[in-house]
Amino acid sequence: MSARSRLLSLAILLAVSALCTTAALGSRAATPKRGGSITIARIEDSQSFDKTNVFQNESIWLAEQIMEPIYTVTPDGKSVKPWLATSYKASNGGKTYTFKLRPGVKFSNGKAMTSADVKFSIDDARKQSKGWGYLDAAIKNITAPNPSTVVFNLKYKWAPFLADIALFANGIIPNNFNGEPRATFYKHPIGTGPFMWDKRVVGQSVTFKRNPFYWQKGKPYLDSVAWKFVTDENTRELQLRGGQIQVDEFPPFNSISKLQHTQGVTMTLFPSTRTDYLDMNEQYPPLADRHVRRAISYAIDRNAIVKSVLFGHGKPANSFLPPQVPFYYPNSGGLQYDIAKAKAEMAKSKFPNGFKATMLVGAGQQVESAIYRVVGALLAPGQEELGNEATQAYRPFDVIDRLAFPVGDGPELLEIRPLAIFDDAHTLHPTQFRNLTRWLIKRELRVSRWVLTRFDILPPDEALGALLSSNENRNRWLEVSVRTGNYDLDNTHKIGERQAQNGGPGTSVPIDDDQEVLRREIWLETDKQYKSAAEWLIKIKTGREVKVETAEGRAPDFTHEQPHTYIGPENSFTLERKPWEEKVRAYTKAFRDSPAVINSIVTFSALAQNSYHITSENTQLQFGQIRYRLELFIQGKAPDGMDLNRYYNFDWVKPSDAPDDKAVYAAEATMRKELEGLVAAPINEPSVGPALLTGRAAAVFFHEVFGHRAEGHRQKDVAEGQTFAKKVGEQILPPFLSIVDDTTMRRLGPTDLLGYYEYDDEGVRAHRVVLVDHGVLKDFEMSRSPLVGFDHSNGHGRRQLGAAPVSRQGNLIVESSKTMTDPELRAKLIDLIKQQGKQFGLLIDDIAGGFTFTGRGQPQAFQVLPLVVYKVYADGRPDELVRGVDIVGTPLAALTKIVATGDKQDVFNGYCGAESGSVPVSAASPAILTSELEVQKKESSTDRPPILPAPAHDIVKAGGQL
Amino acid sequence: MNYARTLAIFACVTAVLLGGIAPVRAASATQAVQDNDQTLRAMRDEMARSKTRLELKIPGTQQPVRPYYVEYRLLDLDVREIVAEFGTLLTTTRGRNRFMNVEARVGNYKLDSSNFIGDEGFRGFIGSQGSVGIDRDYDSLRQDLWIATDQAFKQAVETYSRKQSYLSSLARQSNIDDFSKAQPIQQIEPLATPDWGNRNWEQEARSASATLRLFPDIYESRVTYYLVYATEYLLTSEGTEIRTNRTYAGVEAGLNTLASDGMPLNHLYASYAPKPADLPNVDAVRKGLNVSASELMALRAAKTAEDYTGPVLFEARAAAPMLAQVFGPAMNGSRPPLAFQPIVEQMLSGLGGKSDWAGRLGSRVLPATVSLVDDPGAKDFHGTPLLGGYAVDDEGVRAQKVTVVDKGNLKELLMSRRPGPDSADSNGHGRSGFLGDAKPTMSNLFFNASETLPPAELKKKFLDACRAEKLDYCIIVREMDNPAISLLHQEDFSELLASFGGGAGTGDRLPLLIYKVYPQDGREEIIRGARIIGLNTRALRNLAGVGNDNFVYNYMQSANAGFAGTALGAFASAQGGLPASVVAPSLLFEELEVRGARGEPKRLPLLPAPPLSAAK
């Protein structure tokens, strides 16, 4: 009997009984020959060899090789036979058993076994209150009238007595532990069995050698047996094939048929008593209901589980007892799969409309414990405190795209991915990122779950934040991507929620060109990535057999693309630091004139990037970019504590296009005025009504609401909402709107576009992609992960360094054929307000960014975070600046409510964060007028404004008393 | 990604950049210097305002709340980091940064807003700690200090009220004070300009690391030159005003490879100096790297370790770092903070935040022949410079020499201004890394014994013990690992975590060079994969012998200021460490447990290494 099942209690319902436990042997058995050694690989190390206390099979099976009982179980498990005793006699109405011991039995130390040893062994086993002692409860006392006779007196008649005495716990050891302390003895036990103790390396292996005094002459055949502890099933298989081990004790079910057909391997299946079952908590009212439990049993398709999990090596259970135990009744039938009956039972129950229950699966705990192991020494809180990642909504600042951590001891990584995409860089200045990081770090102390996320939110490449700090960096980063399998199925294939992680984000390599050292780095990184890829492919092939796949998921994993060669010029810049430091200093100072500004940060950065890309498909590329950026950022606080900020950025490529002081000061003046206005502005109440979004605001709106949903890989992933997956050819926008994503565009009007590039991160040439043509959905942004019907990349495979590329937006350009001038749009807005009988509509002038949920685990909602919002009144009152507004909505509804657009496009340049990291993007759109937009209150800090006035605006100049 | 460093960042929490640093000179210029330092002026002016005018009226209470203590710390940093491998430059960085930290305390010395890990929420993006402008101008610094003080004060008010409400739920409250009083100090050193030395550091890093090309079996290596200049400011509302210049420099290298059975192996080289100009020259670094690399090659060929229990001899070079690990957390005499959640307290003890020795003053903790002294004032040991000295600690308290253990009896623990069960007053050992919370931390630690043996006699005693126990072989430890330096791309955190334990936890110690010695013929055999277990303060009580061969171990000790100033580990790299020294002799243990190699090794790379020519 499995030791484990004794520990489980109560309310056991139904089960799949695996018919077979398995073992694969490295070579074909023939007539046994004396001599030789074997090594057996197994999945767990032994815990202890104290047979009286240990409940772990991996320990028991080994202990039995050394310590034998006086009677033993027959091979079919249904009876007992004499072993160290030759016979017994029952007397005194079944309350006395007298055993004759087998003559000539010796311990492995050469001493003869006598009745004193038997009495001592079983008396010791009986005493073990935390072990198997309870099985010997019927024994009153044991006597040893002569060396070859042992008498057991029982307290009462006890039918299972012989079976109990045959238990491994009642194995025979030398009297008085051979003169050693109990604990010491069990570190290297002595017995009469075929093997004797040799050595043990905890965590690695246990070795037994032949007992020269064994009572069965000529046996055992082997000189020694070693049990090696190898957790990973693939490693065991490889070692078996490579001859490093001779037996794999427990190959995975999916490899059984393969091993049966592997040359030189004997695959043996034998009847096992293993039963898998659900353990139900009857304290929970629904599960206390018999009908509910019956319904669950009827609803489980055991045949399907046998097929897909056990690969046919098992059979449906009809009762808790497996067929191998006595009194098993094969015809009981049990409650087998029958949906109609399940429904009928539910109808009869007290919960005809269903109920919610949480099922604890082993792997879940493993996951949690894995986190704590990685974090190291942190104590895991209770399961209930941890919450459930999959259903917990992430709040706006939780910029996390995935958590990955090892499961068990193997190399497998389990990934948890929240389903929010957060457009970080639109909203967050690098300094905010830094503060956010610090905040998350602090939070980890209490919510350890966050620990692994911080690396995802480190600021994007900060090149030079002048004045605040002055840094210069040069470095090079190597990424190696290895795919194994073939274009149809490779190691990146996603099975359900699970997808391979690449073997790490890459490595830093020398900036000096030294071929040998570079090759060395490439060699190691390739080896690492290859191993990771090979390992994942095996898992994926296995996983595929047990998971349902959608039609979308059946698309191949990698597109075929034409190889090409392009060696562009190397990019570099020479930058005069001093003038820029002076400028930044002056720009920051200008903000300080306003008492509303409590913090101001101006950042200038310059980045020259060169990419070298080479593939086994013969693509060879060298290309790169230069980017300059000036960011202006100010923070203030409203009297009620609400944090307010304004942000503006200039991006340019040619040094001559740098904004002049006049432009910068003009932008600053606007920002300052807006911040001062916002500090004094009233809070807007949630409302629904017509709204006008200016060009930049509309651009972000389209980026969030439409752009993310047109990213190709989201059409494929079962976890994604797939809003547009099946809508190609359908009208999704008003017919006057078209949308392209054109990454070949360097500029739009006078503005450099941040989403421009020559080649994407998978080495595919940039494309212009028409996504929506006159309102009809035509295409998606495609990476090299194909979709059914879209079998080529259109150059949108993008990523931040260290992440795996997925399809991402580049330059999302909204074009309109129904345009109006600004005054006309405004007039139309007033019309709409009147038509709807409202007092006012909203004019949204600037948007910080937004985020959207594209996953299925969340509502298909988006939230856009406006910075500057005015109420426009129908009665002609002047516009009123308000604060604390967030736009919320759902994509399909929002897109169809657009009624007209402006006549000129505005550009929003920013960085977009999603699962492949932060990438530069542009969005351009004319202003849009929508008939209905919902706004809600913004999340707000309740910190009060600073107690003392700003030093520069304090009437007491030198500090001290007023 | 460099996992070792990543994890170090995790552990450091905020202590990413720099530890407290050895003083350039222990100047005693107490007069206010006339150098028109705008930083100092801004700090003084904002301090004056905060001291007198900062108050919060709480509805329903009579008296407004005021901070009873305000502290400004500012770190002005100029850092160069150059990393090379196999003769090529990996990265070169120069950064100028300034950071401030503002602390405000509400309540009084007996009971205040500190020493409590509460459950308060996030307080907006402008915190009490952060970067400030590098221009050293008056206006922007005052603006930053203003906001930071405001945040720190509000946070303190909130924490104080939460702490009080938590305390009211306890049956018995600690009678240990929260903060000790200290004599204010004014010490303004003249401003110094960085002197990088007229050496071409990038070229030195290249040529030093090139020597490793002689060892093509090294998979990866990193040779890092780390040079720091800093000016530190400390102003408190009690009247302390300190401006010090600090500098240090280090060369550190990590090397790794795989043994033929796949076991990951690593080695390191580290050398530190008070000034960049004092760093060893290229030839000396090359020589050191050659020794480390040769030893790594020897490890590669070594047999794997097996479980062992018996006499162990720590040679002085290994004994000193081992003692740093064992004593570091034990000598911390401050109280641990109260935690809102009991789980945090558990974490603290697991991570070495609780001292084995606190509360045991007067009792026997080491053999009667042994004394332990920590002396921040010591400059050298018989001519060998010591790295751990300073004149005033990071809380503005004058450094004191402390006899921690006298003839085996615990006399006094190292104290910061956070009182503990045995003592309320700081003895000038409050040290912190990168503006973190100061915690009692050793400086220059001396292990003295009244009965010693020459090394040869100690070894004979060791071999005699080995024979007496009828063991086939016994164990000698020659060098200890410092995973903060030696680990490069290790994906397994366990080694690093073992070094984090600091001692309070498992007592796991990681040797780098460990040998079997066969008593019959004295033959030695290097082994790999061993870990010494259960080596904590208690194990030191059964020392069987002490050598007279003192070794000076200069190193970077962990300055991790996580978890409210508790110890996280023993070792760090120059990037995030506090300079320290341990002087210790060879030590013979009657019995220690050594655990053999564990775990499934990795597969070797599938392709052979590409060629690496020795010439460079």
Side-chain angles (χ1 to χ4, degrees), chain A residues 534-566:
Chain A
E535 215 171 270
W536 268 101
L537 187 63
I538 295 172
K539 284 187 214 298
I540 283 156
K541 286 183 169 166
T542 314
R544 225 158 92 112
E545 298 184 48
V546 297
K547 288 266 185 182
V548 182
E549 271 196 291
T550 57
E552 294 84 1
R554 254 179 248 131
D557 284 329
F558 206 39
T559 62
H560 290 270
E561 304 291 346
Q562 276 307 318
H564 40 238
T565 302
Y566 169 80

Side-chain angles (χ1 to χ4, degrees), chain B residues 154-222:
Chain B
K154 284 174 184 165
Q155 194 138 358
V157 171
E158 194 175 321
T159 306
Y160 188 53
S161 79
R162 281 170 195 271
K163 181 177 174 180
Q164 282 177 314
S165 91
Y166 175 70
L167 286 174
S168 70
S169 76
L170 300 180
R172 199 171 57 85
Q173 295 181 9
S174 164
N175 54 7
I176 304 173
D177 288 359
D178 274 328
F179 200 41
S180 63
K181 295 203 168 100
Q183 196 60 42
I185 293 180
Q186 291 84 34
Q187 179 169 310
I188 307 294
E189 289 180 6
L191 284 169
T193 39
D195 172 17
W196 300 110
N198 53 356
R199 288 162 68 172
N200 182 340
W201 297 108
E202 293 183 356
Q203 204 44 49
E204 287 201 17
R206 277 196 189 96
S207 42
S209 66
T211 192
L212 295 174
R213 295 174 79 103
L214 292 166
F215 303 89
D217 286 330
I218 292 177
Y219 281 26
E220 291 171 298
S221 65
R222 295 280 188 274

Side-chain angles (χ1 to χ4, degrees), chain B residues 237-457:
Chain B
S237 54
E238 294 168 329
T240 288
E241 280 193 10
I242 293 171
R243 183 178 75 192
T244 33
N245 301 301
R246 297 176 189 257
T247 173
Y248 75 85
V251 188
E252 295 173 335
L255 331 170
N256 71 24
T257 185
L258 295 180
S260 56
D261 61 2
M263 182 190 286
L265 296 170
N266 49 268
H267 207 308
L268 66 106
Y269 166 83
S271 178
Y272 304 98
K275 287 202 299 291
D278 299 337
L279 278 182
N281 64 23
V282 173
D283 285 344
V285 176
R286 283 175 75 104
K287 211 168 143 190
L289 288 171
N290 276 326
V291 170
S292 298
S294 308
E295 285 172 351
L296 182 62
M297 292 303 109
L299 279 173
R300 214 164 169 262
K303 290 191 180 140
T304 54
E306 290 155 354
D307 289 2
Y308 166 89
T309 307
V312 173
L313 177 63
F314 272 79
E315 290 189 357
R317 183 174 154 205
M322 180 272 289
L323 294 179
Q325 283 180 283
V326 176
F327 290 140
M331 295 187 301
N332 176 347
S334 287
R335 56 177 286 177
L338 279 169
F340 181 72
Q341 288 167 306
I343 172 184
V344 179
E345 298 223 25
Q346 301 242 24
M347 273 162 31
L348 292 173
S349 60
L351 289 164
K354 285 188 177 169
S355 162
D356 282 355
W357 286 354
R360 297 182 55 201
L361 227 53
S363 53
R364 166 68 63 81
V365 292
L366 288 175
T369 55
V370 173
S371 298
L372 214 53
V373 175
D374 191 86
D375 185 4
K379 298 279 180 292
D380 67 303
F381 181 77
H382 301 310
T384 308
L386 297 173
L387 212 60
Y390 53 89
V392 175
D393 75 5
D394 292 314
E395 293 180 309
V397 179
R398 278 195 204 289
Q400 291 170 28
K401 178 173 173 176
V402 176
T403 300
V404 180
V405 174
D406 186 31
K407 300 194 181 71
N409 292 320
L410 187 63
K411 281 295 227 222
E412 186 177 353
L413 290 158
L414 303 185
M415 297 301 298
S416 66
R417 288 187 69 181
R418 175 185 296 165
D422 302 309
S423 167
D425 297 322
S426 169
N427 47 30
H429 280 79
R431 304 182 69 190
S432 77
F434 188 66
L435 303 182
D437 280 349
K439 67 181 184 205
T441 304
M442 66 167 94
S443 58
N444 300 313
L445 185 72
F446 299 87
F447 182 100
N448 300 323
S450 55
E451 288 168 26
T452 58
L453 293 170
E457 281 177 42

